[in-house]
Amino acid sequence: MARIGVFICWCGENISRHVDVEKLAEQCAHLPGVRCCLTYKYMCSEPGQNLIREKIREERLNGMVVASCSPHMHLKTFRKAAEAEGLNPYLVEMANIREHCSWVHHDVKAATAKAADLIRMAVAKVRRNHALSPIRVPLTKRALVIGGGVAGIQAALDIADAGHEVVLVEREPSIGGKMAGLSETFPTLDCSQCILTPRMVEVGQHPNIRLYTYSDVEAVEGYVGNFSVTIRKRARYVDISKCTGCGACWNACPNKKTPSEFDFGMGKRSAIYVPFPQAVPARPVIDANACTMLTKGKCGLCAKKCAAGAINFKDQDELITEKVGAIVVATGYKLWDIGKEQENAKLAGYGEYGYGTYKDVINSLQFERLVSASGPTGGELRRPSDGAVPKTVVFISCVGSRDNAKGMSYCSKICCMYNAKHTMLYKHKVHDGQAHVFYMDIRAGGKNYDEFVRRAIEQDGAQYHRGRVSKITEENGKLIVRGVDTLAGEPVTIEADLVVLATAMRPADGVETLAQKLNVGYDEYGFLSESHPKLRPVETNAAGVFVCGACQGPKDIPESVAQASAAAGKVQVMFSREEITREPEIASIDERMCAACFTCVRACPYNAIERAEIRDRAGRLIKRTARVNPGLCMGCGTCVAVCPSKSAELEGFTEQQVYAMVESLG
Amino acid sequence: MTHKQPHPDPDMTTFEPKIVAYVCNWCTYLGADLAGTNRLEYPPNVRIIRLPCTGRIDFNLIVKAFETGADAVLVSGCHPGDCHYTSGNYHARRRWTLFRELLDTLGIEMDRIHFTWISAAEGRKWQQVITEITEKTRQMGPYLAYKRICRVS
C-alpha cells in the first residue's frame, strides 16, 4: 500500500508569495496514497531535511514528493536525504512549483491550482516508482588518448604519472602536434620546442605509455569502463624496433622534392623522412606516394644504406585492439585553408586575398615555420617567392573568423595574440622592417596578454590599422594591400613584401567521423561538445569520453594544457574506484514480449541494444530477442517509443508512470 | 482575441485551456526553468511532463492527453544537433512527420498539436510559445469534438 509523504517548501517567500502553501497542503493531504503532507520554510535546509527524515521514519513512508524547486536543483539533495533514512532514493519525486509556477504565475488562485496539479501528477507518478539500485560495471584502468599534441601529451603524462597505463594514438609520424612547429610562444616569447620536446621525450620513454604514431582510431566498441578500440597502424615501411634513427636513409634518398607537411609546404623533405629532428619517435617513415621504390619499383637506396636492415618495402597496415576504460580526445585544430576549393559554397569568399595564387601570401602557421630556428630557412626570415628579406609585412586578422557572411561566426581567440607576437619576432629579425596589422578588435584577455600587445605596438613599432582588407593584388613583385583604417577614417594602401593571413581555427580533419565513432556530439563547425559549458567542461555526453584542447573550441596553449590536466583528473577520479556505478534509470526489454523485430536496435543512439538468443538447456533456440546492455544504455527512451510490441521500458519514466501522470490531470 | 474580450458563447468566457507539454529533460525543461529564474510571466495553463528525451515520446501519449481532457498538446525538445542523447530528437521529428498524417486521418485537429525546439537558454522562447499556444487554444475553444468521441466509444 502506498504511504506517500508530500513535503511542500515555501522557499522563503519565493513560493509562498504566489502559492497559498497552507491551502495547498490541505488539498494534497487527501490525494490517494498520501500519508502525510507538511510545509516548511526551507525544505532543502538541514532542519528541513531532518523533518523529511523524521516523517520517513515515523510514518514508514514508501515514497515521497518534494514540492519545491526544479529537480535539476535539488533532486539529488532529497534523494540523498531519503537514502540516509533507508528509503530507496528512486522513490523520491519532485514537483517543480517554483521555476514552473510561483515565479511565472502571479495570480495566487491560478498558481495554487497549478501547484496542486503538479503535486497530484508527482504523487501519481511516485506511486508507480520502483526501488532501484545503481548499476555496477567492471572497469579497465587503462586510458586511450587520441591526439599527441600538447593537450594529448599533457593528458597522457598526467594519467601515466598517476600509475595508469595509457595508449596514445597519433596520426602523424611524430607526436608534438602544432606546438612542435611554433617558433616562440606568447606572452613570454619562450621557445616552443624548448618547452615541448622534453615532454615529448618523457612520453616516448614513459613505462606506462604505449605510443602508436602514424596510426588512426579505426573503431570503438563497448562502453564506459570497458571500451575495445581498434587502432590502424599504417604501414611505415620502417621497422622501428630495428631502426636506430641514424639518418643514413633520408640522407641517401634521392627524392627530396616533396613539400614538408611539418613546414606547411614552406620547405621540402625526402620520401623517407622524419618530420623534424626532435621527433618522437625519432624514426623515419616512407611516404608511399613519393617513394619511387614503392610507386615504380626502382631505387631502394635507403634499404642499401640501412645498416640495421630496418627498411621493409612490403610493410602492411596493422590492426591492433586495445582495451581501455576511458578515452580522452585531443585531436586539436587546423588553420582554415582558404586557398583550397571549399566543401561549402558559402565559404568560398576569400579569393580576393590571393592565398594559393600569390606565393608571398601565406598563413600564420607557415609564418611560424619561416621564423622558427628549426624551420626551412634556419630562422632567417625569407619570403617564399624569391628568398628576399621582406621589408614590409602585413598581418591580417580575422580571415574567416567573426564573419557571418562568408566565414565562421566564432572568434578564433589566439590570432590577436600571435599577430602581436609575429610583429615582434619579425622586428627582432628584420630591424629595419615595418609590420602592419589589420584588425577588427584586439582581444587580449589573459595574464600578461594585453601588456604583450602594447609592447608590440609601443616598443616594436607595429602599425595597427583598425579595419578590413578588401583586396590584395601583385604588381612588380610587391603585394598591394588595399584596406581601410576606420579610426582614421581613410583608405589605406600598403605595398607589402609578404602578407600573413590569420585564418580561422577549425577542428582537425576527420573529427566528425571520430565523434560519430565515440558518440560525442559536435557543433555546426565540428567542434566537439562538452557536457556542460561551465560545470562539466571536459566531460562529454558519452560516458567515459573526455575532451581537451582545441578540438572542443579555439584555445591557446595554457588553456589546452589546463583542460588536458582537467580531463586527466577526471579519468583518475574514474580510475580511483574498482568498478563504475551508473544511474539505474535505463531501458530494459521484456524478453517474453519481444517480437525480435529489432527496430530498437536500429533506433538506439548508443548501440546499447543487442540481438540475443534464448536457448534451453539443450542449446535449442527458443526465441530471439533484443537485449539492453546496461553498461551502454544512457536512458533516453527512444527504444520505448519505437517498440511496436511495447516490450521496451524505461525505468523512471515507465509507461505506467507517464500515463498515470497524464491521467491525474483528467 | 484575449480572454478579457467577451465571447459570443457565454461558456467560453470562463474557458481556461488545458495544455499538456511533453518536454525533454535537458533542453526544454531547463528552458522553462530559465523562464522561471528570469521571472518571465506566462499563462498558467500548461502542465509539464518531464521525459528524458523527445525520443521517448510515443504518440499514444499525445492521444492519451486528449483523452484525459487536454485542449492542446505541446512536444518540445532540443534543437536539431543539440540532443543530449545525440539523435533522440531526430527520431522524434521523423516520428512526428509520420504520425502527423495518421493523426490527421484519425480526425484529430492538427492545430491542437504543437511541436517546437526550445533550448536550455531560451527561457523567453518558452514564455512566447506557451503564451501563443494558450491564446490560440483559447480562441479555438475546448476540444469538445474529441470529448464527444470518447463519450460515444
Side-chain angles (χ1 to χ4, degrees):
Chain A
M1 209 183 82
R3 300 169 72 91
I4 312 290
V6 177
F7 302 93
I8 304 171
C9 180
W10 292 52
C11 194
E13 285 190 355
N14 279 307
I15 292 171
S16 62
R17 191 181 295 133
H18 296 122
V19 170
D20 186 339
V21 179
E22 290 305 338
K23 194 174 154 204
L24 188 61
E26 277 170 37
Q27 289 173 3
C28 294
H30 304 295
L31 290 174
V34 172
R35 180 79 185 176
C36 63
C37 182
L38 287 100
T39 74
Y40 188 70
K41 273 259 174 209
Y42 297 102
M43 210 52 98
C44 59
S45 68
E46 205 181 330
Q49 290 191 42
N50 286 340
L51 182 75
I52 292 175
R53 293 180 57 172
E54 207 176 287
K55 281 290 156 191
I56 294 176
R57 201 164 50 234
E58 276 176 13
E59 303 286 349
R60 289 180 289 121
L61 299 181
N62 57 13
M64 64 182 245
V65 170
V66 185
S68 57
C69 48
S70 169
H72 286 271
M73 182 77 106
H74 273 317
L75 183 59
K76 273 200 177 140
T77 314
F78 294 119
R79 283 189 165 170
K80 265 191 192 152
E83 195 176 18
E85 205 51 54
L87 178 66
N88 186 287
Y90 297 93
L91 299 175
V92 178
E93 287 291 335
M94 283 181 83
N96 185 349
I97 62 167
R98 192 179 74 171
E99 280 86 344
H100 291 182
C101 191
S102 71
W103 274 353
V104 288
H105 311 313
H106 295 167
D107 176 59
V108 174
K109 208 175 145 203
T112 309
K114 178 171 176 180
D117 273 359
L118 296 182
I119 295 175
R120 198 163 63 235
M121 281 158 69
V123 170
K125 183 182 182 191
V126 80
R127 291 181 65 183
R128 289 154 184 88
N129 277 26
H130 298 140
L132 305 173
S133 28
I135 295 163
R136 294 174 199 284
V137 279
L139 167 67
T140 310
K141 293 190 188 182
R142 294 177 91 222
L144 167 74
V145 176
I146 308 172
V150 66
I153 288 173
Q154 181 74 24
L157 284 174
D158 279 4
I159 299 167
D161 284 344
H164 305 295
E165 275 183 53
V166 176
V167 178
L168 177 58
V169 177
E170 167 59 50
R171 162 160 81 180
E172 301 297 328
S174 166
I175 57 168
K178 296 283 185 295
M179 186 177 167
L182 302 184
S183 51
E184 282 155 25
T185 56
F186 62 79
T188 44
L189 291 188
D190 41 2
C191 146
S192 179
Q193 293 224 337
C194 312
I195 332 173
L196 186 68
T197 48
R199 303 289 278 165
M200 291 162 57
V201 172
E202 235 183 291
V203 168
Q205 296 177 346
H206 206 295
N208 281 345
I209 298 179
R210 185 175 293 185
L211 179 59
Y212 291 101
T213 52
Y214 214 51
S215 304
D216 301 288
V217 172
E218 179 91 358
V220 179
E221 279 170 12
Y223 51 91
V224 56
N226 300 279
F227 293 106
S228 172
V229 182
T230 312
I231 297 163
R232 177 178 291 273
K233 219 170 133 189
R234 298 205 302 274
R236 196 175 184 116
Y237 306 101
V238 174
D239 184 341
I240 61 173
S241 60
K242 287 185 190 161
C243 171
T244 58
C246 69
C249 55
W250 65 80
N251 287 328
C253 179
N255 180 355
K256 292 191 168 61
K257 293 271 170 60
T258 311
S260 154
E261 293 86 356
F262 185 72
D263 289 332
F264 301 100
M266 293 288 98
K268 301 269 192 280
R269 62 161 171 81
S270 42
I272 181 165
Y273 69 105
V274 284
F276 54 105
Q278 300 80 6
V280 171
R283 300 288 179 264
V285 48
I286 296 180
D287 177 348
N289 296 321
C291 172
T292 48
M293 186 68 192
L294 288 166
T295 51
K296 295 177 191 148
K298 288 178 199 158
C299 185
L301 258 180
C302 51
K304 282 176 205 139
K305 290 279 177 186
C306 182
I311 311 277
N312 171 16
F313 290 114
K314 295 205 171 69
D315 199 9
Q316 297 274 324
D317 285 11
E318 200 183 331
L319 290 178
I320 296 155
T321 307
E322 290 281 1
K323 303 261 181 220
V324 296
I327 299 175
V328 177
V329 189
T331 47
Y333 74 100
K334 64 170 182 193
L335 283 189
W336 180 16
D337 186 353
I338 57 167
K340 201 177 69 177
E341 198 175 321
Q342 300 301 321
E343 69 276 20
N344 175 350
K346 190 194 147 200
L347 301 180
Y350 278 101
E352 69 268 25
Y353 289 169
Y355 181 83
T357 310
Y358 307 139
K359 277 188 172 171
D360 294 324
V361 178
I362 59 174
N363 72 27
S364 302
L365 279 174
Q366 291 175 317
F367 185 79
E368 290 282 351
R369 295 309 299 148
L370 290 186
V371 286
S372 171
S374 71
T377 55
E380 211 176 319
L381 181 57
R382 295 188 173 277
R383 65 180 197 168
S385 65
D386 54 5
V389 176
K391 296 293 178 188
T392 309
V393 181
V394 171
F395 296 91
I396 306 178
S397 299
C398 298
V399 179
S401 308
R402 304 177 64 198
D403 188 341
N404 278 329
K406 54 184 188 178
M408 316 295 153
S409 62
Y410 55 84
C411 167
S412 293
K413 202 171 180 181
I414 59 168
C415 329
C416 287
M417 290 307 296
Y418 71 60
N419 270 336
K421 178 189 79 176
H422 285 170
T423 67
M424 289 161 102
L425 295 179
Y426 170 64
K427 192 71 180 174
H428 299 170
K429 288 191 189 287
V430 185
H431 302 311
D432 58 342
Q434 180 61 53
H436 295 266
V437 178
F438 283 90
Y439 71 102
M440 302 213 296
D441 298 288
I442 297 175
R443 297 187 161 178
K447 195 174 174 182
N448 295 324
Y449 280 18
D450 202 58
E451 296 90 324
F452 183 79
V453 177
R454 301 296 341 157
R455 230 167 82 207
I457 298 170
E458 287 160 13
Q459 285 180 20
D460 289 324
Q463 284 267 345
Y464 270 64
H465 308 277
R466 184 186 176 143
R468 305 287 288 158
V469 169
S470 61
K471 197 162 179 60
I472 298 172
T473 50
E474 200 176 37
E475 282 171 35
N476 307 323
K478 290 274 185 188
L479 293 160
I480 314 298
V481 181
R482 291 188 179 82
V484 64
D485 188 325
T486 54
L487 294 180
E490 56 190 27
V492 181
T493 304
I494 296 167
E495 286 191 14
D497 301 309
L498 182 69
V499 174
V500 183
L501 307 178
T503 53
M505 220 171 166
R506 296 182 75 181
D509 287 327
V511 74
E512 277 124 334
T513 324
L514 179 67
Q516 284 159 13
K517 287 175 191 163
L518 295 166
N519 271 320
V520 171
Y522 48 88
D523 67 14
E524 58 184 300
Y525 304 106
F527 287 115
L528 302 182
S529 306
E530 67 283 7
S531 189
H532 187 282
K534 293 183 177 63
L535 301 177
R536 291 163 66 83
V538 295
E539 290 98 325
T540 67
N541 285 337
V545 182
F546 304 90
V547 287
C548 62
C551 64
Q552 180 257 347
K555 54 178 64 74
D556 60 13
I557 296 166
E559 272 185 290
S560 299
V561 171
Q563 218 187 9
S565 280
K570 288 287 170 190
V571 171
Q572 287 165 53
V573 169
M574 236 180 93
F575 288 180
S576 67
R577 304 196 187 96
E578 295 310 312
E579 53 185 10
I580 299 172
T581 53
R582 306 192 58 223
E583 281 293 313
E585 289 176 328
I586 58 162
S588 61
I589 307 278
D590 184 340
E591 297 186 358
R592 292 163 305 174
M593 295 264 288
C594 176
C597 69
F598 302 122
T599 312
C600 54
V601 174
R602 290 185 291 273
C604 177
Y606 295 95
N607 300 322
I609 309 180
E610 41 206 54
R611 294 158 200 257
E613 288 173 352
I614 300 175
R615 290 179 181 273
D616 66 8
R617 277 183 209 162
R620 284 183 298 256
L621 180 71
I622 296 175
K623 71 172 293 201
R624 289 177 214 283
T625 179
R627 189 172 287 161
V628 176
N629 181 334
L632 274 173
C633 176
M634 299 293 281
C636 66
T638 301
C639 51
V640 182
V642 299
C643 179
S645 66
K646 294 274 154 235
S647 40
E649 192 61 289
L650 177 65
E651 274 304 344
F653 301 91
T654 59
E655 294 279 280
Q656 281 212 359
Q657 286 173 305
V658 182
Y659 278 90
M661 286 175 89
V662 189
E663 277 171 352
S664 76
L665 290 170
Chain B
M1 195 199 298
T2 68
H3 61 290
K4 280 169 190 155
Q5 285 171 305
H7 196 276
D9 176 357
D11 285 337
M12 298 292 264
T13 51
T14 53
F15 168 59
E16 281 299 333
K18 222 160 104 179
I19 299 159
V20 173
Y22 294 107
V23 308
C24 83
N25 185 36
W26 304 102
C27 289
T28 305
Y29 194 89
L30 287 172
D33 274 1
L34 183 67
T37 315
N38 292 341
R39 313 295 198 278
L40 304 175
E41 223 181 321
Y42 54 84
N45 304 59
V46 65
R47 302 289 178 266
I48 287 185
I49 294 182
R50 179 172 69 104
L51 294 162
C53 180
T54 41
R56 163 70 182 83
I57 299 165
D58 179 341
F59 272 72
N60 288 339
L61 288 177
I62 294 176
V63 177
K64 188 74 189 173
F66 286 128
E67 208 179 292
T68 54
D71 301 301
V73 174
L74 167 69
V75 173
S76 180
C78 307
H79 284 268
D82 281 351
C83 179
H84 183 81
Y85 305 102
T86 330
S87 59
N89 55 355
Y90 290 127
H91 282 286
R93 181 167 69 181
R94 238 173 282 160
R95 211 173 306 135
W96 167 242
T97 323
L98 268 174
F99 276 82
R100 219 188 129 80
E101 280 185 41
L102 183 64
L103 294 176
D104 199 17
T105 315
L106 284 173
I108 289 177
E109 290 176 25
M110 294 313 290
D111 292 352
R112 293 181 183 270
I113 309 177
H114 306 267
F115 198 103
T116 62
W117 317 114
I118 297 175
S119 80
E122 293 176 326
R124 193 159 291 281
K125 186 171 175 192
W126 171 258
Q127 177 196 33
Q128 284 164 359
V129 165
I130 297 305
T131 311
E132 278 169 30
I133 294 177
T134 311
E135 285 318 309
K136 192 178 169 195
T137 314
R138 201 187 296 284
Q139 282 173 36
M140 291 170 73
Y143 197 4
L144 297 172
Y146 198 90
K147 288 182 183 108
R148 245 174 264 134
I149 299 171
C150 291
R151 222 172 294 138
V152 173
S153 60

